[in-house]
Each structure stands twice: as C-alpha cells, then as structure tokens.
Amino acid sequence: MTAHAESDAEPGTPGAQAADEEDEGLYEDARRARWTATVTGALLALMGLTAALMKVGGGVPALVPAAYGTGSAVCVFAAVLGARGRTRWALWLMILGVMIMALGDQFD
C-alpha cells in the first residue's frame, strides 16, 4: 500500500492513525522552519543595524554603514517572508543580506 491508500482508510483503522501522526509531524516541521527563519532573519537584521550605527560615528566611508543598513533591510524582509511560510526565499534573502553586509565590511 502507498501512503495515499493509507490516508484514504477509515478513521478507525491503524493506517489512518499513522497518516494523521505523519501529517502532524509535517505541520510541526513546517512550524519549526517558520520560527527558525523568522528569528534568524530578525537577529541578522538586528546585528546589521547595530553594526551600521556603530560605523556611522567612525571615520569610515559612507558606503560601509549603507551596506550594513541595506543588508539589514534585506534580512528584515527575509524574516517577514519566513513568518509567512516562504522559508526557502527567506533563506536565500538572509544569505544575500549577509553577503551585502560582508561586502560593506570589505570597504572598511
């Protein structure tokens, strides 16, 4: 039997209970992925904003805090997408945000 045949079974059968537990596990994995993407994006955005504010007062080119701020904004957008369930897009945007911040650090 395939998983689809087991999910079509009557509610009282063991196959239906296993399918319900499997579905519940998938929902839990998706919920965990959303929380991870949201929290990670928010933390990266907070670190980028902090770095931008620290660099503003120093004698560095204006491109450095602008890069940190832009990378931070990208990470905020990633956190929003992660909260809405778009975790793959959120992951790639977090990577892009960190790369922008690293590029700004190269100009320091």
Side-chain angles (χ1 to χ4, degrees), residues 10-91:
E10 293 180 22
T13 61
Q17 291 173 353
D20 288 341
E21 289 174 5
E22 183 178 321
D23 288 344
E24 189 174 314
L26 291 175
Y27 290 136
E28 186 64 33
D29 289 345
R31 186 178 303 120
R32 190 176 305 122
R34 284 193 307 268
W35 274 102
T36 302
T38 303
V39 170
T40 304
L43 286 175
L44 287 172
L46 184 63
M47 287 189 292
L49 184 62
T50 303
L53 291 175
M54 289 173 58
K55 297 288 183 176
V56 167
V60 296
L63 184 61
V64 175
Y68 278 114
T70 303
S72 178
V74 171
C75 288
V76 166
F77 187 58
V80 170
L81 284 180
R84 292 179 182 228
R86 302 290 185 179
T87 55
R88 288 184 191 151
W89 280 100
L91 172 66

